[in-house]
Amino acid sequence: MTVKTKSKRLFLALLLPDEMISFLVSLVKKLPGRPLPPDNFHLTLFFFGQVSSQEEGKIKETLSGAVLKEKPFTLSFADLSFFPSCSRPRGIWVKVGGRDEERLFSFRQRLGEEFLARNIGFDQKPFLPHITLTRFSKKEKIFKRGLPKVTTGEFSISSIGLFESRLSKKGVNYFLIKEEKLKLEA
């Protein structure tokens, strides 16, 4: 008899500070489309897809080791955009950049190399730092109009979360499985 292990659909994301989530909640009110719940505002680093409990353990272990050396990131919101393209919009996202954008790309690269060295697979799409804000239904006609300008100062991201993504008839729900704090500066 084979024992069937339950797999989980996992992803790794930077957690936004509360004041930036509040800012995004107020911004979303001005945008077309179905707003995502504030609990869904995060900056995805890696999407792993369906993983076994053994793979989940390896992800957690890799994550714990990686954050020991990493300081918080100072980032800012760059611009609003339709995705996947302006000609076929499915939603709106805000791009993330700022002072530590280059360091964020380097951190993600190093972490990806560690995952691959441990045979942990992940979606290999190019990394584009963003936060999804709204989605459009397939039937919804979107008339292209100017999107509001985003004006915020810099903010600090000091936590990374491993999430489980559960699909339901009402949409996707995210559940934080593990949170790791980045190294606070001495």
Side-chain angles (χ1 to χ4, degrees):
M1 180 170 102
T2 55
V3 177
K4 191 174 181 181
T5 60
K6 186 176 187 247
S7 66
K8 294 179 183 175
R9 192 169 182 255
L10 300 181
F11 67 92
L12 190 64
L14 293 178
L15 304 178
L16 297 174
D18 291 341
E19 65 272 12
M20 288 300 104
I21 291 175
S22 296
F23 171 80
L24 293 175
V25 166
S26 65
L27 178 63
V28 163
K29 292 176 184 175
K30 303 172 192 169
L31 302 176
R34 179 178 43 87
L36 268 63
D39 289 348
N40 288 11
F41 294 153
H42 60 267
L43 196 160
T44 302
L45 294 174
F46 294 95
F47 178 72
F48 300 105
Q50 294 294 134
V51 301
S52 67
S53 58
Q54 181 182 5
E55 289 170 311
E56 180 182 342
K58 290 195 306 186
I59 291 169
K60 288 177 179 176
E61 186 180 299
T62 304
L63 176 60
S64 293
V67 299
L68 292 175
K69 304 169 232 157
E70 200 62 44
K71 299 182 305 190
F73 295 98
T74 300
L75 299 170
S76 58
F77 297 132
D79 224 347
L80 291 175
S81 181
F82 292 102
F83 71 86
S85 70
C86 288
S87 61
R88 296 180 309 115
R90 303 290 302 128
I92 297 173
W93 62 23
V94 62
K95 294 178 185 173
V96 178
R99 185 187 330 169
D100 288 337
E101 181 177 6
E102 195 173 303
R103 191 166 64 81
L104 175 62
F105 274 87
S106 295
F107 171 69
R108 186 183 180 277
Q109 176 71 33
R110 285 191 314 275
L111 192 52
E113 289 168 1
E114 288 184 45
F115 286 139
L116 292 175
R118 293 173 174 238
N119 294 318
I120 301 167
F122 55 87
D123 187 339
Q124 297 284 332
K125 288 181 189 143
F127 178 54
L128 174 65
H130 71 276
I131 298 159
T132 303
L133 302 175
T134 69
R135 294 194 180 276
F136 308 133
S137 73
K138 290 183 181 179
K139 297 175 187 169
E140 198 171 349
K141 294 280 187 220
I142 301 301
F143 298 96
K144 314 278 183 324
R145 62 179 190 199
L147 295 171
K149 289 288 180 202
V150 178
T151 53
T152 65
E154 295 180 326
F155 55 90
S156 180
I157 291 185
S158 58
S159 294
I160 298 179
L162 180 63
F163 288 85
E164 180 179 2
S165 171
R166 294 184 198 158
L167 303 174
S168 73
K169 291 180 182 177
K170 293 182 179 182
V172 181
N173 295 306
Y174 301 138
F175 301 92
L176 182 62
I177 293 175
K178 180 178 180 74
E179 179 178 351
E180 288 283 347
K181 299 278 187 198
L182 297 172
K183 176 184 170 187
L184 295 178
E185 299 181 59

